[in-house]
Amino acid sequence: MGEGLYSAAYSLHSAGRGALQLVGMEDVIGKMDIPAPAEFGTDRWHAQQLGGAAGIIAPFVLTHKGVKMMSTKLAPTEAGLAVSRVLNTPTKVAIAEGALAGGAFEFTFKPTEEGDSIWTRPKNFAVGAATFGTLTASTIGIKSYAGSLAKPWLRRLYPDAAGEDDAGRVWAGCIKISATTLSGAPAGFAHTFSHDVAFKGADFSKYSGLEDYGKNAYTFGVVGLGLGLKDAGMAKLKSFTGAEPAPTFHHLAEQGRVKRQNDADLLASLRSDIAPAAAKTGLEAAQRSTIREGGIDIKPADIAPGKIEA
């Protein structure tokens, strides 16, 4: 237990140190000793992996929340509409948000060490984007596939399980949590491989071995499990409070497009109403000026179109 807690504290401390480095305040929290290496597969090793992964979840959730807020602000704009046409399904938007959040997380919260180049944080961004983009994509894929396999069995076991009853919601939650956990394997692979490519280049002799792939798959499996439990808890809370589901990116983009179109139509209508009045005012001013120059003090309003022709 102590080993796991220390590893979790170390992960959180590292995240805080990485963020403070960006504003030149790293000395505020100082440094913390890295957990002593543990033999692969031992209880200490498992405790370290679980604790280290748990420490990742909170800062990533914070980063993902920030990305979602920015996404919500962007969606109703012209740029958001353009993005919605490229990322034309909710799945693509979710993967993009996951990748962007992962990149921002690694860029912000992974500290640099003495001797690192200015490219270290951009490389961290690329690794994080590859890792969490893969985690999101594989979660969606596994959940969809597992859901399609489970539905026939659920219909047999529970007549209404595929609907909105409690049994159906429980099974859906279990499938999602399982999907995020299993997604740790491809996410761990993506993390290990992208890190090797970014930091080791073409020196293939220094690339990671199978043990490193296994460690990272394990770590991100725990991360996926934590994120799945968090999502399940939030869904339960929203269901309990009766909160409405948040509008999707594409829904917000369409709302923004409609609003801009309505504003444009209103402006065009106002211009069409104002133009004749402005033209009439200009004509009256010109007529008044001409009449005064001729020494005749007659108001244009006194001259009807029929009288002019006569």
Side-chain angles (χ1 to χ4, degrees), residues 223-249:
V223 171
L225 173 62
L227 293 175
L229 290 171
K230 186 269 297 180
D231 290 342
M234 291 300 296
K236 187 68 175 177
L237 179 62
K238 289 180 180 179
S239 175
F240 179 76
T241 59
E244 293 291 329
T248 65
F249 185 91

Side-chain angles (χ1 to χ4, degrees), residues 15-56:
R17 181 168 158 252
L20 289 172
Q21 279 181 342
L22 294 173
V23 292
M25 298 176 62
E26 178 184 1
D27 294 337
V28 171
I29 59 173
K31 290 188 177 182
M32 185 176 178
D33 292 335
I34 189 170
E39 186 178 350
F40 180 76
T42 62
D43 290 343
R44 285 186 62 240
W45 182 87
H46 285 291
Q48 287 182 359
Q49 299 303 309
L50 290 168
I56 291 174

Side-chain angles (χ1 to χ4, degrees), residues 129-223:
T131 303
F132 286 92
T134 301
L135 183 70
T136 305
S138 53
T139 295
I140 294 171
I142 293 172
K143 184 176 69 172
S144 176
Y145 183 67
S148 64
L149 290 179
K151 278 184 179 179
W153 293 98
L154 291 178
R155 290 194 184 101
R156 292 181 183 179
L157 294 172
Y158 306 98
D160 298 321
E164 294 297 322
D165 67 325
D166 290 338
R169 282 192 291 269
V170 168
W171 276 101
C174 290
I175 289 172
K176 183 169 184 178
I177 292 170
S178 299
T180 55
T181 305
L182 293 173
S183 296
F189 179 90
H191 179 84
T192 309
F193 184 72
S194 61
H195 186 275
D196 285 345
V197 171
F199 289 94
K200 299 171 185 176
D203 191 353
F204 300 111
S205 62
K206 295 182 179 179
Y207 273 38
S208 302
L210 290 177
E211 184 175 319
D212 293 314
Y213 280 94
K215 287 179 180 179
N216 283 324
Y218 186 103
T219 297
F220 285 100
V222 176
V223 171

Side-chain angles (χ1 to χ4, degrees), residues 28-145:
V28 171
I29 59 173
K31 290 188 177 182
M32 185 176 178
D33 292 335
I34 189 170
E39 186 178 350
F40 180 76
T42 62
D43 290 343
R44 285 186 62 240
W45 182 87
H46 285 291
Q48 287 182 359
Q49 299 303 309
L50 290 168
I56 291 174
I57 293 171
F60 174 75
V61 168
L62 181 65
T63 309
H64 193 266
K65 182 69 174 177
V67 169
K68 290 286 289 184
M69 290 174 64
M70 289 190 296
S71 177
T72 301
K73 294 289 186 183
L74 172 68
T77 66
E78 288 280 4
L81 182 62
V83 170
S84 71
R85 288 170 177 166
V86 176
L87 306 176
N88 55 5
T89 65
T91 296
K92 291 179 181 178
V93 172
I95 293 171
E97 289 176 345
L100 185 58
F105 163 73
E106 290 276 350
F107 182 93
T108 304
F109 293 110
K110 189 167 186 178
T112 55
E113 305 299 338
E114 187 176 351
D116 287 343
S117 74
I118 61 172
W119 295 106
T120 298
R121 284 190 186 265
K123 288 179 179 179
N124 287 340
F125 183 95
V127 173
T131 303
F132 286 92
T134 301
L135 183 70
T136 305
S138 53
T139 295
I140 294 171
I142 293 172
K143 184 176 69 172
S144 176
Y145 183 67

